[in-house]
Amino acid sequence: QVQFVESGGGLVQAGGSLRLSCRAPRSITSTFNPLTIGWYRQGPAKQRELVASISSARNTDYADSVKGRFTISRDNSRKTVYLQMNSLKPEDTAAYYCNTVPHNDNWGQGTQVTVPS
């Protein structure tokens, strides 16, 4: 099971930007590159949702709520996936996680993003 390490969250005013990073553990070598990786988030009293994903061919997909504001990318040499978040809104407040798509049950600790209203 792969457990990613997320970082980059914080407190940002509405309209601001953050860049999240998600690094796979060193034990992952040949298994990382072919994987489709997604960024998920779970807001207060909400279900966890998939907000962006990127395939091994770098095809991307976004939830309607973040389309045009968030950009997912990956660096296979560093086994890292990024989420550039622009024009942040209070409704983006959540803990953000990365995982495979479809996800496995081995979630990391996540990184908190807070956008005050």
Side-chain angles (χ1 to χ4, degrees), residues 3-31:
Q3 186 173 67
F4 294 89
V5 178
E6 302 93 348
S7 62
L11 175 68
V12 61
Q13 297 302 312
S17 299
L18 281 174
R19 188 193 194 205
L20 306 184
S21 298
C22 158
R23 178 175 53 81
R26 290 184 181 274
S27 59
I28 301 300
T29 52
S30 60
T31 55

Side-chain angles (χ1 to χ4, degrees), residues 12-70:
V12 61
Q13 297 302 312
S17 299
L18 281 174
R19 188 193 194 205
L20 306 184
S21 298
C22 158
R23 178 175 53 81
R26 290 184 181 274
S27 59
I28 301 300
T29 52
S30 60
T31 55
F32 179 82
N33 291 1
L35 294 173
T36 294
I37 306 298
W39 277 98
Y40 300 76
R41 69 183 180 188
Q42 187 167 17
K46 293 182 180 179
Q47 297 265 5
R48 191 171 291 172
E49 61 172 341
L50 176 65
V51 296
S53 64
I54 185 165
S55 72
S56 57
R58 292 180 168 76
N59 295 316
T60 58
D61 195 21
Y62 299 92
D64 289 343
S65 58
V66 307
K67 206 168 287 185
R69 300 188 297 122
F70 290 10

Side-chain angles (χ1 to χ4, degrees), residues 7-20 85 88-90 92-94 96 111-117:
S7 62
L11 175 68
V12 61
Q13 297 302 312
S17 299
L18 281 174
R19 188 193 194 205
L20 306 184
M85 305 187 297
L88 282 161
K89 304 176 180 180
D92 296 318
T93 293
Y96 285 72
T111 186
Q112 178 68 35
V113 173
T114 302
V115 187
S117 56

Side-chain angles (χ1 to χ4, degrees), residues 29 32-35 55-56 58 74-81:
T29 52
F32 179 82
N33 291 1
L35 294 173
S55 72
S56 57
R58 292 180 168 76
R74 66 191 293 163
D75 183 340
N76 286 343
S77 67
R78 296 181 177 179
K79 299 195 290 289
T80 300
V81 177

